[in-house]
Amino acid sequence: MEQIALGYPKSRNGLKRRFRVGENAILALLFISGVFSIFTTIGIVYELGKEALLFFRTPNVDLWSFLSGTQWQPHIDKFGILPLFTSTLITSLFAMLIAAPLGMGAAIYLSEYASEKVRGFLKPILEILAGIPTIVYGYFALTFMTPLLRTIFGRDVVEIYNTASAGLVMGILILPMIASMAEDALSAVPNALREAAYGLGGTKLEVALKVVVPAAISGIAAAFIVGISRAIGETMIVAVAAGAGPNFTFNPFKGAETMTGHIVRISGGDLSYDSIDYNSIFAIGLMLFFVTLTLNLISQQVVRRFREVYE
Amino acid sequence: MNGPSIQKPEIEFTDNIRDRNRYGRLWVYIFRFSTIIGIIALATLLFNIINQSSGYVVYEAKGDPAALTLDGVPIEEQTKDQLMRVLSSHLSKGAYSKLDRTKPFAERSRNDVYDLVVERIVKYEVVDSWLLWDSLTRKDEITAAVEEEYPEALLRFDVWINSDFLRRPQSSNPVIAGVRTAVLGSLWTIGITILFAFPLGVMAAIYLTEYAGDSWANRIIQTNINNLAGVPSIIYGILGLAIFVRALEPLTSGTLFGVTDPTSANGRTILSAGLTLGLLVLPLIIINAQEAIRAVPNSLRHAGYGLGATKWQTVWSHVLPNAIPGILTGTILAISRAIGETAPLVVIGASTVIYFDPEGPFSKFTTLPIQIYQWTSRPQDEFRFLAAAAILVLLALLLTLNAVAVLLRNRYSRRY
Amino acid sequence: MTHTIEKIKTQRIKVSEKLVYVLETKKLNIYYDDFRAISEVNMKIERNKVTAIIGPSGCGKSTLLRSFNRMNELVQGSRISGEVLFHGQNLYAPDVDPVEVRHRIGMVFQKPNPFPKSIYENIAWGARVHGFKGNMDELVEYSLRQAALWEEVKDILDHSGLALSGGQQQRLCIARALAVQPEVILMDEPASALDPISTLHIEDLIRELSNHYTILIVTHNMQQAARVSDFTAFFNMNGDRSGYLVEYDNTNQLFTMPKNKLTEDYITGRFG
Amino acid sequence: MDDKSKETPVLRKTFENELQQLKDEILLLGSMVEQSILESVEALKKRDIPAAERILELDKKVNAKRYAIENQVMIVIATQQPMAHDLRLLASIMEINGELERMGDYAKGIATINIRMGEQALLKPLIDIPRMAQKGVDMLHRALTAFINEDVEAARLIPAEDDEVDALYNQVYRELITLIIQDPTSIERANWLLWAAHNLERVADRVTNICERTIFIATGKIKDIRSSDDEAQKLKNSP
């Protein structure tokens, strides 16, 4: 009988662990890519911190007057961030005034009321709204919202550049984002809860508002926080429509510069390095970074807790 | 049974069903209204832009176009040579040769020369303009008013977004300004963004989903990426300004490679812009790619391992091919965000007025959104119209990209 | 407008003590779009008894159960023909409010589904939306006692309902259903997600509750039906997969001497 | 039992109730049988024909009860899926149910003898036969109590008392044989009494079966309590 040779390849060192150069090189490359984002963060914190430190080292500038000063006039060495901060606050407030209730309403409608067909039609529209570049919204604020406000409230009351217009349009920008995040949160509420509430004789509204919304509340809160963070960091709308020049005012119909708007205007020209203007945008940037970072961290925490309830 | 006997309390319910149903109906309207606001906003926005992108325009010429007729041929129909003769006869010698120096006439096309004639000699100026809506609804009124107020002037229905608009470079004269420089600038920038962010993002995503365990370090990386996605874009601009424009100036300005572009004196180049946007979209690409990779069923990985493949072999030949449509879709969405970004580019110092096409990564740059921003900031109506036209170009670009993304998604989503 | 509201008011379901049958279906068909899930069901549900619905999976048991308090309407594309009578009144008459129906005919679901609220709020919710006027603390205690849960949770009423064990959660859901004072309780496989001991607790509770409530229970576990019910209805599917009533009888009779060969095959596990 | 139920919460109340009901029914059937045994012997002793006829009526009720219990056991098995102890209990109830009905038949047999004897007087005054009845009924009563309480110890002890009944039977047997030898014409009348005594002896035997079932419920083991010697002895003595 002829023996059939089974062709098992003989490996050099049997089953022993082998060092694979290629594998390890690739792993190293992948690892570096993964860690790269850490460098970005370090870069942000380091650069912002370094230049901001230079800014605060300048004579006539100190942290307290930076945080509490009501005047931002670099040519007379006044660096109080309040005028920039209040207008950021006003625009964000206006934005949330529009986006929070409407976004919430749209989310509830889409998740609880709309039929599959209507949802299939409405959601892409919201997605398109969310995908339009912010400069387009800025254009819209300047050429549509401002004239509209001036027609309604009078040309004497509403200035050509004003925070209200910027804020309202920012609300339209944030609305689809809040609607979509809140809708995700509402849709994640198990259907069993809705059935339970219907089974107890709840009306559709009671089921939606008293069971589904409370059950999704942390997801909704996260959506709001991200919305606020987005509003604070939003730049082009305010750069185009909110006006130039720091102006410490609470009147939303007057022009005023936000933190982001200021950075854009100052750096728009040829900014010379190591000038106080150059350094000041880092100080403002640092503040912006920490505010939005805090908000984002809070929202992530809130979302995580929300997930824990159901998963 | 067990425990104390149960005493039934007084239980009575109010007959409130009428009120409850009424509230129910009322709130449906409120919810529906909220949703409709979104649609109205989109419609208004589009209408507003289209409304400004075409309409009646009244031109007045400083020079008389009729006087420029050569050999009985009006300037609109003249050849390049004829136009050059018109130019040389109406301009000073110095001005003519200066034009030749910036770009030799031999290299200019017939249309370029025609534009020069219009710009330098005819000098059309917009004296009045109307929006599309008015132009369509009040046509007779406008014609009558124009005949009365500007009897000499040329009344024309202009569509601001046209082939000339796409073809022409930037100009300080709104009549002949175009977006070619800006579109090319955008494409160059995005090209660099993709080259930088796509491989890096996909590799990071592979590391995080396939290789990284659940260690605290990896959790920090993951959290960090999620946070970076929420950092305002202007912060990236500041970072780009400090790192790419300033610290890495020799690299980004090209001097390191011996490139000496006379127009770029510092690091405010396409390369800097592309890298800045790259940093901006990197977390988005990573997150999207991670999702695409996670969606690949585990059975495929096990099949690979079961055949004795190494981890990378499995990832490369089983996981990635199946995840690539999702990765591409996510990347396209991230890129469309980058195309529309304005603020970081303003901060790193986009040039607002460039008349010449970018030639490489070390050129000065402008992009479409920057162009829109710059035109929007001008007080004259004509520039607003140009901005509207440029916005339409930008939206068309984004729409195309998104359509590609949707096609990709639909085409490959049947796989599992 | 006022006229119809008046009508609704007068049409509100009145409980009559005389009737022995609480619920009755007449030629009931239930459809999902074009698919008929339940065909031509005629059955009467006796007052203060436990009636079990058994049958192979997919025979439309749950669908039928949900039609008794119009929960099936929440599924898009579902519709019925025929009548479901509650004390002689058609639940599907145009002037009957489904919310009112579900107030009278409560429901307990397959998976325990407490609201992510406190135990107390879980009980109080339903009563509150129906405009409960009395002492809520008493109602909560009463409902929890009825559901045999009071002793276990009386000190942790402010804890989340989700913190309870599966069996406790299901008894909480039963207590929650009891708090709105329904007359009928529909139970859709109430113990299928529970461990055997919790299952027995729930079964005991069902027996106990049948002294005061009419209970309809759908179960895929026919031993359970045998254990807890007074009457059992066996459903099967036609060739076109629509469910029909095969046999409906006293549980003792049905499980010892079924009249129909199909029933016998099913309960003896010889179902082909 | 009570202490146990306090420690662990009582589950399956319905099932427990149904089992308890069945036990009660068995006790009821038992007492009906006890009554008919005692009354049948009493009637025989007094030659009271109407009383004997009442026994026949009572036996019909015993039979009806037996079938009712059997049916109920079947329902409980079908609906409650008994396992282990519960299953042994129900199987034993079924068995004991039959035993009791059979004992009822012995009483009926004695009543029938009484009626068949017609005008004939008793061969001798009844002394040991009522004792046998008394002893048998006493054993039955205690066996049923042991069964209800699942008292294994008691159940183990009761069968030994069967010897007493056997002894009484042997005595009656010898006595009647002596009478027949003395007067062969008395053979028929002697035979009546012998049959009655035999029936009562069988009652005691069947009590043993009940005790075996009680032990079976607790231990799961079927054990023949009577030794083979006893059995051989009995065979020898039986007519």
Side-chain angles (χ1 to χ4, degrees):
Chain A
M1 275 297 260
E2 216 175 313
Q3 198 83 34
I4 299 168
L6 288 173
Y8 292 122
K10 273 229 175 76
S11 64
R12 258 177 293 122
N13 51 359
L15 293 172
K16 281 200 198 104
R17 192 175 280 279
R18 229 186 295 173
F19 185 79
R20 295 185 168 86
V21 182
E23 284 288 311
N24 284 290
I26 286 166
L27 179 57
L29 192 64
L30 293 177
F31 178 73
I32 291 167
S33 311
V35 172
F36 188 85
S37 65
I38 294 278
F39 297 147
T40 312
T41 309
I42 293 173
I44 290 174
V45 174
Y46 172 74
E47 284 296 339
L48 290 179
K50 186 186 74 178
E51 302 287 339
L53 207 63
L54 287 177
F55 170 73
F56 289 118
R57 285 246 191 85
T58 326
N60 303 325
V61 179
D62 64 89
L63 189 61
W64 174 245
S65 63
F66 174 74
L67 290 175
S68 65
T70 58
Q71 265 189 310
W72 183 279
Q73 304 283 8
H75 57 277
I76 54 166
D77 282 341
K78 295 269 191 197
F79 291 97
I81 202 167
L82 278 185
L84 303 177
F85 192 74
T86 47
S87 40
T88 294
L89 224 57
I90 291 170
T91 48
S92 306
L93 196 73
F94 266 84
M96 288 311 285
L97 233 51
I98 291 279
L102 292 181
M104 204 49 229
I108 293 176
Y109 181 74
L110 287 175
S111 137
E112 305 298 308
Y113 287 86
S115 67
E116 215 38 63
K117 232 166 99 185
V118 173
R119 204 187 351 246
F121 165 72
L122 286 178
K123 279 206 83 170
I125 290 185
L126 287 179
E127 273 168 26
I128 291 175
L129 260 182
I132 289 175
T134 59
I135 179 67
V136 179
Y137 281 97
Y139 179 85
F140 182 63
L142 191 65
T143 60
F144 179 82
M145 192 56 82
T146 304
L148 185 72
L149 289 179
R150 299 188 88 189
T151 320
I152 296 172
F153 296 102
R155 296 180 160 263
D156 316 327
V157 181
V158 185
E159 292 181 359
I160 289 188
Y161 296 105
N162 63 76
T163 43
S165 165
L168 290 174
V169 172
M170 207 190 277
I172 298 174
L173 167 76
I174 295 170
L175 188 158
M177 199 192 73
I178 288 189
S180 145
M181 274 185 80
E183 203 248 355
D184 285 349
L186 292 175
S187 305
V189 172
N191 235 349
L193 282 191
R194 291 185 187 85
E195 288 193 330
Y198 282 123
L200 289 172
T203 64
K204 194 152 195 163
L205 176 73
E206 287 157 355
V207 174
L209 285 190
K210 294 183 182 170
V211 171
V212 180
V213 169
I217 197 67
S218 31
I220 293 165
F224 283 5
I225 296 169
V226 169
I228 295 170
S229 152
R230 184 81 196 272
I232 290 173
E234 178 44 48
T235 310
M236 288 328 285
I237 298 178
V238 288
V240 169
N247 186 2
F248 188 58
T249 175
F250 288 100
N251 183 347
F253 293 137
K254 284 204 173 352
E257 209 166 55
T258 65
M259 298 197 284
T260 51
H262 182 75
I263 296 174
V264 163
R265 185 173 62 84
I266 291 295
S267 55
D270 255 351
L271 191 59
S272 52
Y273 304 141
D274 295 327
S275 65
I276 184 114
D277 274 344
Y278 178 82
N279 290 338
S280 74
I281 65 170
F282 285 84
I284 300 170
L286 190 66
M287 176 137 175
L288 207 55
F289 178 69
F290 276 124
V291 170
T292 51
L293 182 72
T294 313
L295 288 172
N296 288 337
L297 282 175
I298 292 172
S299 92
Q300 278 173 31
Q301 207 54 46
V302 166
V303 166
R304 194 166 306 142
R305 193 159 305 159
F306 174 65
R307 287 217 183 102
E308 275 166 8
V309 176
Y310 295 112
E311 285 170 9
Chain B
M1 310 257 359
N2 292 357
S5 64
I6 306 169
Q7 188 68 45
K8 183 169 179 174
E10 284 284 309
I11 298 176
E12 212 181 318
F13 294 103
T14 334
D15 182 12
N16 57 2
I17 190 75
R18 253 169 64 188
D19 291 345
R20 291 166 64 198
N21 282 333
R22 210 173 47 217
Y23 279 123
R25 279 191 297 273
L26 175 70
W27 278 87
V28 180
Y29 289 120
I30 294 176
F31 295 146
R32 202 172 285 160
F33 170 77
S34 312
T35 317
I36 286 169
I37 288 281
I39 302 171
I40 291 176
L42 184 65
T44 316
L45 192 140
L46 286 178
F47 171 78
N48 182 48
I49 288 163
I50 292 170
N51 196 21
Q52 310 227 22
S53 65
S54 50
Y56 278 113
V57 182
V58 185
Y59 296 103
E60 242 167 21
K62 281 277 172 0
D64 184 7
L68 302 177
T69 309
L70 203 69
D71 309 331
V73 185
I75 52 166
E76 286 86 357
E77 291 162 23
Q78 283 172 359
T79 62
K80 184 179 167 188
D81 289 338
Q82 288 171 317
L83 286 167
M84 277 165 67
R85 267 196 289 159
V86 170
L87 254 187
S88 58
S89 59
H90 284 81
L91 286 180
S92 68
K93 205 147 188 89
Y96 186 81
S97 49
K98 192 184 168 201
L99 280 175
D100 197 45
R101 267 204 308 279
T102 30
K103 192 176 184 187
F105 276 101
E107 286 178 22
R108 295 177 191 249
S109 68
R110 184 253 163 209
N111 283 336
D112 289 346
V113 183
Y114 175 78
D115 289 345
L116 274 177
V117 172
V118 173
E119 185 188 346
R120 291 306 185 91
I121 306 164
V122 183
K123 287 186 182 160
Y124 274 121
E125 272 182 10
V126 177
V127 288
D128 209 347
S129 55
W130 284 268
L131 300 177
L132 175 63
W133 181 254
D134 292 338
S135 305
L136 293 177
T137 53
R138 293 167 40 208
K139 189 179 171 187
D140 298 337
E141 239 175 279
I142 292 171
T143 345
V146 169
E147 268 173 23
E148 193 175 313
E149 278 181 56
Y150 316 103
E152 297 287 299
L154 168 72
L155 175 69
R156 203 168 64 184
F157 185 85
D158 266 1
V159 178
W160 292 94
I161 173 165
N162 53 33
S163 59
D164 282 346
F165 180 70
L166 294 175
R167 189 173 49 76
R168 283 177 182 144
Q170 149 80 304
S171 164
S172 58
N173 182 351
V175 182
I176 57 161
V179 286
R180 191 180 68 197
T181 4
V183 169
L184 287 174
S186 272
L187 294 179
W188 267 105
T189 315
I190 287 308
I192 288 171
T193 303
I194 295 172
L195 283 180
F196 170 62
F198 179 70
L200 199 57
V202 173
M203 286 196 292
I206 292 173
Y207 174 74
L208 288 172
T209 36
E210 298 291 323
Y211 286 85
D214 191 30
S215 71
W216 62 269
N218 292 322
R219 272 204 301 275
I220 284 183
I221 294 178
Q222 191 67 61
T223 313
N224 180 54
I225 287 170
N226 293 344
N227 280 325
L228 280 181
V231 168
S233 57
I234 193 160
I235 301 284
Y236 285 98
I238 299 178
L239 181 69
L241 176 65
I243 304 267
F244 299 127
V245 176
R246 195 177 169 190
L248 298 178
E249 187 180 327
L251 175 80
T252 50
S253 65
T255 44
L256 198 65
F257 307 103
V259 182
T260 41
D261 189 329
T263 57
S264 76
N266 49 34
R268 299 171 199 272
T269 57
I270 283 179
L271 183 59
S272 294
L275 293 177
T276 305
L277 290 185
L279 284 187
L280 172 73
V281 295
L282 188 60
L284 301 179
I285 292 182
I286 295 176
I287 291 170
N288 288 334
Q290 273 185 290
E291 257 172 43
I293 293 172
R294 268 195 217 111
V296 176
N298 251 338
S299 54
L300 274 177
R301 294 186 182 89
H302 293 164
Y305 294 140
L307 293 173
T310 62
K311 187 144 199 167
W312 174 248
Q313 286 164 343
T314 308
V315 168
W316 180 251
S317 50
H318 297 287
V319 179
L320 272 188
N322 285 290
I324 207 74
I327 293 176
L328 286 182
T329 311
T331 306
I332 289 174
L333 294 177
I335 290 302
S336 36
R337 160 110 192 261
I339 289 182
E341 273 301 340
T342 323
L345 298 187
V346 175
V347 173
I348 65 164
S351 309
T352 42
V353 271
I354 299 184
Y355 301 105
F356 299 102
D357 298 342
E359 281 161 354
F362 305 116
S363 300
K364 278 177 147 184
F365 74 100
T366 186
T367 65
L368 207 42
I370 297 283
Q371 195 66 69
I372 295 165
Y373 172 49
Q374 196 244 327
W375 276 333
T376 309
S377 317
R378 298 267 189 106
Q380 299 99 318
D381 281 348
E382 308 86 80
F383 285 109
R384 298 269 167 86
F385 300 157
L386 287 175
I391 286 174
L392 287 179
V393 175
L394 180 61
L395 290 184
L397 197 62
L398 291 178
L399 211 63
T400 318
L401 275 177
N402 278 296
V404 172
V406 169
L407 276 181
L408 269 178
R409 191 161 56 192
N410 290 349
R411 176 151 192 188
Y412 292 100
S413 61
R414 318 175 232 121
R415 291 204 92 150
Y416 317 117
Chain C
M1 201 67 198
T2 44
H3 175 70
T4 47
I5 285 164
E6 282 309 311
K7 227 166 121 193
I8 289 169
K9 236 178 141 181
T10 51
Q11 285 279 330
R12 284 189 64 180
I13 304 140
K14 288 270 182 306
V15 178
S16 157
E17 298 291 335
K18 276 176 284 177
L19 278 171
V20 182
Y21 295 113
V22 177
L23 281 163
E24 182 179 359
T25 67
K26 282 187 177 165
K27 292 192 163 187
L28 180 65
N29 291 282
I30 307 176
Y31 303 85
Y32 291 119
D33 297 316
D34 296 330
F35 169 64
R36 181 154 77 166
I38 283 287
S39 58
E40 299 291 316
V41 172
N42 294 300
M43 65 188 284
K44 291 176 172 179
I45 311 296
E46 209 164 322
R47 184 185 176 81
N48 288 4
K49 291 277 186 268
V50 180
T51 304
I53 301 174
I54 60 169
S57 50
C59 72
K61 302 177 297 243
S62 287
T63 300
L64 176 70
L65 188 78
R66 278 158 186 258
S67 73
F68 284 117
N69 71 344
R70 293 180 64 168
M71 286 293 280
N72 56 333
E73 287 177 3
L74 300 175
V75 179
Q76 267 179 29
S78 89
R79 65 196 159 84
I80 73 144
S81 72
E83 289 181 333
V84 179
L85 302 177
F86 179 52
H87 293 295
Q89 182 183 4
N90 186 5
L91 290 179
Y92 285 84
D95 54 355
V96 169
D97 193 326
V99 168
E100 202 58 31
V101 171
R102 292 175 200 140
H103 183 181
R104 298 309 188 82
I105 304 175
M107 190 151 188
V108 174
F109 300 85
Q110 184 168 1
K111 247 185 89 188
N113 53 357
F115 300 133
K117 301 169 185 266
S118 69
I119 293 169
Y120 187 98
E121 281 303 313
N122 261 286
I123 310 283
W125 191 87
R128 213 171 267 150
V129 300
H130 291 297
F132 175 65
K133 289 195 287 203
N135 182 335
M136 188 62 85
D137 292 355
E138 277 177 16
L139 178 67
V140 169
E141 178 176 346
Y142 174 65
S143 309
L144 284 170
R145 277 193 192 282
Q146 270 193 307
L149 192 61
W150 174 251
E151 292 300 327
E152 289 159 67
V153 302
K154 64 181 174 191
D155 298 323
I156 52 165
L157 288 176
D158 56 338
H159 287 208
S160 167
L162 293 165
L164 297 173
S165 75
Q168 288 175 323
Q169 286 190 12
Q170 193 62 300
R171 276 180 284 151
L172 176 65
C173 292
I174 292 173
R176 179 175 68 182
L178 298 178
V180 300
Q181 300 298 301
E183 201 190 328
V184 181
I185 303 172
L186 309 176
M187 297 188 172
D188 191 355
E189 307 198 5
S192 68
L194 305 180
D195 62 277
I197 298 297
S198 304
T199 301
L200 294 177
H201 271 294
I202 298 288
E203 287 177 5
D204 280 358
L205 182 56
I206 291 170
R207 287 295 343 162
E208 183 71 26
L209 290 173
S210 68
N211 295 327
H212 310 284
Y213 302 90
T214 305
I215 294 173
L216 252 106
I217 175 172
V218 159
T219 172
H220 63 256
N221 177 342
M222 81 194 143
Q223 284 83 13
Q224 183 172 65
R227 286 194 295 265
V228 301
S229 69
D230 300 298
F231 295 93
T232 300
F234 171 57
F235 278 77
N236 192 23
M237 288 178 290
N238 275 328
D240 60 357
R241 293 189 25 82
S242 82
Y244 69 102
L245 180 59
V246 179
E247 187 168 348
Y248 179 35
D249 207 335
N250 189 304
T251 298
N252 291 342
Q253 178 70 32
L254 190 123
F255 278 92
T256 50
M257 280 291 290
K259 294 189 183 70
N260 193 300
K261 178 82 170 66
L262 266 177
T263 317
E264 171 130 18
D265 286 350
Y266 184 72
I267 62 175
T268 55
R270 291 179 177 82
F271 199 68
Chain D
M1 276 298 274
D2 271 348
D3 288 345
K4 222 166 119 190
S5 71
K6 264 172 208 161
E7 280 161 21
T8 53
V10 182
L11 269 174
R12 304 195 63 180
K13 288 174 197 157
T14 316
F15 186 29
E16 291 289 339
N17 285 345
E18 282 172 349
L19 289 180
Q20 192 56 52
Q21 251 173 37
L22 278 172
K23 285 178 172 178
D24 292 350
E25 292 291 302
I26 286 289
L27 275 186
L28 193 61
L29 181 62
S31 62
M32 285 163 78
V33 172
E34 286 169 20
Q35 187 194 347
S36 36
I37 292 170
L38 289 176
E39 283 181 6
S40 63
V41 173
E42 190 64 24
L44 183 65
K45 194 173 160 188
K46 292 181 179 158
R47 296 293 296 113
D48 184 347
I49 305 293
E53 275 162 355
R54 281 202 298 279
I55 300 296
L56 296 188
E57 285 309 305
L58 185 58
D59 186 63
K60 278 181 189 156
K61 284 184 191 158
V62 167
N63 287 353
K65 179 120 242 141
R66 182 243 165 130
Y67 289 118
I69 291 174
E70 198 173 295
N71 193 36
Q72 190 56 34
V73 169
M74 262 163 48
I75 285 172
V76 173
I77 290 175
T79 60
Q80 299 292 348
Q81 304 93 39
M83 291 295 155
H85 173 274
D86 296 337
L87 186 58
R88 295 199 299 273
L89 175 63
L90 283 168
S92 303
I93 286 176
M94 207 72 143
E95 178 73 22
I96 290 167
N97 191 32
E99 297 285 350
L100 287 174
E101 195 256 349
R102 224 68 49 75
M103 291 187 210
D105 285 349
Y106 293 139
K108 180 184 158 196
I110 293 171
T112 312
I113 288 168
N114 197 357
I115 294 166
R116 290 247 192 97
M117 279 171 76
E119 295 299 309
Q120 291 178 14
L122 287 170
L123 184 61
K124 64 177 272 286
L126 297 185
I127 300 159
D128 287 330
I129 285 182
R131 275 194 199 144
M132 279 178 82
Q134 205 67 50
K135 184 66 197 169
V137 164
D138 178 50
M139 281 171 69
L140 172 61
H141 193 83
R142 282 184 292 125
L144 284 178
T145 312
F147 162 71
I148 295 299
N149 295 335
E150 295 184 21
D151 185 345
V152 182
E153 278 315 300
R156 277 193 218 284
L157 292 174
I158 292 166
E161 298 173 26
D162 186 31
D163 294 346
E164 280 180 46
V165 181
D166 286 348
L168 283 170
Y169 175 67
N170 285 340
Q171 190 159 327
V172 171
Y173 182 77
R174 275 192 302 272
E175 215 174 320
L176 289 173
I177 291 294
T178 316
L179 286 173
I180 291 170
I181 293 167
Q182 285 170 356
D183 176 13
T185 59
S186 69
I187 189 160
E188 193 189 356
R189 287 191 295 161
N191 214 12
W192 293 129
L193 293 184
L194 204 56
W195 265 115
H198 176 74
N199 275 1
L200 292 171
E201 193 270 338
R202 294 299 297 156
V203 166
D205 284 350
R206 290 192 183 275
V207 169
T208 307
N209 289 345
I210 293 177
C211 293
E212 280 171 3
R213 286 291 150 186
T214 302
I215 295 166
F216 168 67
I217 290 168
T219 64
K221 284 176 191 145
I222 289 279
K223 202 174 152 200
D224 212 335
I225 296 172
R226 292 164 299 183
S227 63
S228 47
D229 289 348
D230 290 348
E231 204 60 22
Q233 176 77 15
K234 214 173 286 169
L235 275 176
K236 205 174 70 189
N237 292 342
S238 59

